[in-house]
Structures are given as C-alpha cells and as structure tokens.
Amino acid sequence: MHDTTALLIELGALILCLGILGRIAGRFGLSPIPLYLLAGLAFGHGGLVQLDASEEFTATGAEIGVILLLLLLGLEYSAAELVTSLKTQYPSGAVDFVLNALPGAAVALLLGWGPVGAVVLAGVTWISSSGVIAKVLADLGRLGNRETPVVLGILVIEDLCMAVYLPILTTVLSGVGLAGGSVTLLVSLGTVGAVLYVALRHGRHISRAVSSESAEMLLLVVFGLTLLVAGIAQELQVSAAVGAFLVGIALSGEVAEGARNLLSPLRDLFAAVFFVFFGLSTDPSAIPPVIVPAVLLALVTTATKIGTGWYAARRAGVGSAGRWRAGGTLVARGEFSIVIAGLATGVEPRIGPLATAYVLLLVIIGPLSARYTEPLARRLGLVKPTPGPSRTAPVPPGAGPGPKDVADRTAGPGTAPAAAETA
C-alpha cells in the first residue's frame, strides 16, 4: 500500500508540474519540450529531487509516448501521399540528408564515438521536429503560404526515411554479426515494404474494419491495434516506433480523423512523460563536457537547415522571401532526435547528454528562426523584390501536399489559413 501511495503522489506531482510548465511555455509562445527535458533533469539521477517509486511506470509511459507520437504522425499522411512526395521531392530530400546528417556523423567521429555513434548522431541532427514546426506554422498564420507545402514535403520525406532508418539503426545497435545483421535488416525492410503495400492497396478495407460509430470502441481498437503491431514490430527488429507509424499510414479518411481527435490528448500526455523520462535518464553533470560540440552542432545545422529550405523552395518556384521563410521554419529539432538518442544511450552514454543539450538549443532557436530569418535576410538585402502581385498563383507540381491539406492537418478549431503568397 505504501508503494502505491508513493507512486500516486509522485505521478500526480510530476503530471501537475508538466501541466504548469506547458502553460508557462504557451504563455511565451514556445514549445514545452525544453521545459519537459529540464524537468526530467531536475528529477533524475544527479538532479535536485530523485523520483524512485514512479521510475518503472514512467519508463513504460515513455515507451507508449513514442508509440503515440509516431502513430499520430502516420495518421497525418496516407501511403499515396508519402509515395507521391518521395517521387516529386526526392532531390530536396537528398540535399536535406547530405547537409544535415553529415555534420552529426562528422562530430561523432571526431569525438571518437565510432561508426555506431556516427549513425546515431547523424539521425539526431538530420530530422526536423514535425510537431514543433506544425505548431509554429499555425501560430505564425502561414498555413496558406506558397512555401508551406514545400516545408511539409520535406517533413513527409524525413518521416518516410525514418521507416527505413530506424530498422537500420536498431540492427546496428544490436551488435549482431554481418550475416545476422543482414538477415535482420532484410526482415525489417521487408516488413516495412509489405505494410506500405497493404496500406496502398487495401488501406480502405483496413479503415472500414477498424471504423466504429462509438468513440469508445474506435479508441480501444486503434490504440490496442497500435500497441499490438508495435510489439510485433519490435519482436521482428523493426522497432515499435516504426510499427506505430505504419499503422497510422494504413488508416485513412474518417477513421484517421476520428482516431486523431481521440488520441491527441493521450499523445500529449505520454509524449510529455517521454521527454521527462529522457531527462530523468540523463545525468545533468554529463551535459557541461558536451556543451561545446552541442552549441557548434546547433549553429552549423541551423545554417544547413535554412539552406535546405531555401533550396527546396527555390526548386518549387517560390519567391525569394518565401525561400528564407521555408529555411527558417525547418530549423527546429525535437521528438525524433530524442527518440533516436534514446535508442543509443546503452551503446554510447555521452550521446544522451549531447542530444539533450542540442534539442534544448534548437527547440528554442527553431521558432525564433521561423519568425526572424526572412526579416533578417530582407534587412541584409538578400530578399529580391517580387515583380507584380500574384498572391493566388498556383502551387507548382512537386511542391508537396497543397495548402488546404496543410491547414486541415495542422490548424486547430477556429484557425483560418492565411492567404497564399508567392514571396
């Protein structure tokens, strides 16, 4: 009874603290992720107060948080949209990978973390935060801008690449031999390909089977199916996160919309627990030794993400100002970077502290970059004037999902998309 009482007290205090921190972050228009990470550092080993009774429950909640993050991300896209974005935006995706993954890999090798550390840190610096960026676009009223489909297209490609990268990372981290690793990787990629095929060909049938007029039944079936597939995926060395992502892709239409509305509060709760748990597992005293490489990585990859967005928007025919806005919007890192680092903490302990410091920096810099990159470029004379008004020009082919799609997926109730613009 005493253990149960201590568990309830610790969990209640922790969740209440997260709610207060979230309100503080919202008051200043910031993402709550850095505050959640700081809370984890404060309550973890070496922090101000150590949580003991709720540690095991928090670890389980963190796993569910990762699963729900990836499920909700998968629900944002259909399999057809993923394939279309891959076909039309792959040059921009390749530039994104080269410019942003290589700095992380290079720093890991310079720090002596070896090839495994290089693969992990490359992923940490490569992937932008879809959650933070979606919120920033809505907050800044840019949902209807010409550059927004370009930004979304880059995020779609990154998310699709995660379905391949995470199985590769899991295989690398398992430390199995070449033959065993090859078999595991083939099984992982085969599973991903099979699920994508089923989602493309039979997604409507899956959605129809899951559909229910009862919100309670829909919640139980989708959540239970996701946990089941995530567990099976982990058993097949695909990673639970990818399994959840593929479940989200397989669902579409009204089922996806209903599941998104029902599961979003659960996602927010368990995702907050995940970020706290990552902070709990990081010793604050391990951050100062890696703060210099974290700052250097943050500065370099801020510049490379801006370059990525600028290139992608230019390729899509977006005007000069829109190119800088697209670049500034892509800077934020968040959930995926922490997920990747969390998988590798047992292999290289220093990756966790470095990733924590890196994400803390860029989840703060990201919204500021989205807001001020274009005005700064304009002040420096880098924005060319756009001749003639053409605010309703059509989005060129290959620019990704249209502004209406973006508005539907990221805008909350009562949010009106901003007028489209070519600048």
Side-chain angles (χ1 to χ4, degrees), residues 259-275:
R260 201 157 47 231
N261 293 335
L262 290 170
L263 290 168
S264 291
L266 276 179
R267 186 264 323 265
D268 295 339
L269 170 61
F270 285 104
V273 172
F274 165 71
F275 290 117

Side-chain angles (χ1 to χ4, degrees), residues 296-307:
L296 291 176
L297 263 182
L299 292 175
V300 170
T301 54
T302 293
T304 53
K305 273 293 182 183
I306 291 175

Side-chain angles (χ1 to χ4, degrees), residues 69-108:
L69 274 170
L70 273 292
L71 170 65
L72 269 292
L73 199 58
L75 288 172
E76 296 291 337
Y77 314 116
S78 70
E81 287 172 336
L82 286 174
V83 172
T84 300
S85 291
L86 187 62
K87 288 180 179 178
T88 57
Q89 293 258 55
Y90 71 88
S92 300
V95 169
D96 180 34
F97 172 77
V98 171
L99 290 183
N100 297 287
L102 290 184
V107 167

Side-chain angles (χ1 to χ4, degrees), residues 214-230:
S214 167
E216 178 185 356
M217 293 303 104
L218 181 61
L219 173 63
L220 292 175
V221 170
V222 174
F223 190 36
L225 176 65
T226 302
L227 292 178
L228 177 63
V229 172

Side-chain angles (χ1 to χ4, degrees), residues 32-369:
I33 292 176
L35 297 184
Y36 294 158
L37 289 171
L38 291 174
L41 292 172
F43 293 133
H45 301 288
L48 301 175
V49 180
Q50 186 169 327
L51 300 180
D52 295 317
S54 60
E55 187 172 357
E56 184 176 348
F57 182 91
T58 305
T60 304
E63 290 188 26
I64 295 175
V66 175
I67 289 170
L68 287 174
L69 274 170
L70 273 292
L71 170 65
L72 269 292
L73 199 58
L75 288 172
E76 296 291 337
Y77 314 116
S78 70
E81 287 172 336
L82 286 174
V83 172
T84 300
S85 291
L86 187 62
K87 288 180 179 178
T88 57
Q89 293 258 55
Y90 71 88
S92 300
V95 169
D96 180 34
F97 172 77
V98 171
L99 290 183
N100 297 287
L102 290 184
V107 167
L109 293 175
L110 289 173
L111 292 174
W113 295 353
V116 174
V119 172
V120 174
L121 203 55
V124 170
T125 58
W126 172 22
I127 305 298
S128 298
S129 171
S130 299
V132 173
I133 289 172
K135 187 175 188 306
V136 167
L137 287 171
D139 291 345
L140 296 180
R142 296 181 182 172
L143 296 173
N145 281 20
R146 278 287 306 280
E147 75 274 4
T148 297
V150 176
V151 171
L152 187 64
I154 293 291
L155 297 178
V156 169
I157 289 178
E158 290 182 350
D159 297 340
L160 183 58
C161 289
M162 280 295 96
V164 177
Y165 171 81
L166 287 179
I168 293 174
L169 179 62
T170 304
T171 303
V172 170
L173 294 175
S174 65
V176 296
L178 179 60
S182 300
V183 172
T184 302
L185 184 57
L186 287 174
V187 170
S188 301
L189 296 180
T191 303
V192 172
V195 172
L196 284 176
Y197 174 80
V198 171
L200 276 169
R201 297 293 183 182
H202 308 291
R204 288 178 295 176
H205 302 298
I206 297 174
S207 298
R208 191 179 302 119
V210 172
S211 178
S212 174
E213 294 182 1
S214 167
E216 178 185 356
M217 293 303 104
L218 181 61
L219 173 63
L220 292 175
V221 170
V222 174
F223 190 36
L225 176 65
T226 302
L227 292 178
L228 177 63
V229 172
I232 294 173
Q234 191 155 294
E235 189 69 23
L236 294 173
Q237 303 297 319
V238 178
S239 115
V242 170
F245 181 64
L246 295 175
V247 170
I249 292 173
L251 301 178
S252 60
E254 293 182 1
V255 172
E257 181 65 27
R260 201 157 47 231
N261 293 335
L262 290 170
L263 290 168
S264 291
L266 276 179
R267 186 264 323 265
D268 295 339
L269 170 61
F270 285 104
V273 172
F274 165 71
F275 290 117
V276 169
F277 179 74
F278 188 84
L280 289 174
S281 60
T282 302
D283 187 347
S285 63
I287 291 182
V290 296
I291 194 66
V292 172
V295 171
L296 291 176
L297 263 182
L299 292 175
V300 170
T301 54
T302 293
T304 53
K305 273 293 182 183
I306 291 175
T308 297
W310 192 94
Y311 168 81
R314 178 178 178 273
R315 183 173 173 272
V318 177
S320 181
R323 298 173 195 174
W324 291 106
R325 285 196 297 269
T329 303
L330 286 170
V331 167
R333 311 303 202 277
E335 58 275 7
F336 262 133
S337 298
I338 297 298
V339 168
I340 292 166
L343 293 174
T345 50
V347 176
E348 175 49 68
R350 291 173 293 179
I351 289 178
L354 177 58
T356 301
Y358 177 77
V359 170
L360 279 171
L361 289 168
L362 286 185
V363 85
I364 294 171
I365 293 173
L368 298 176
S369 172

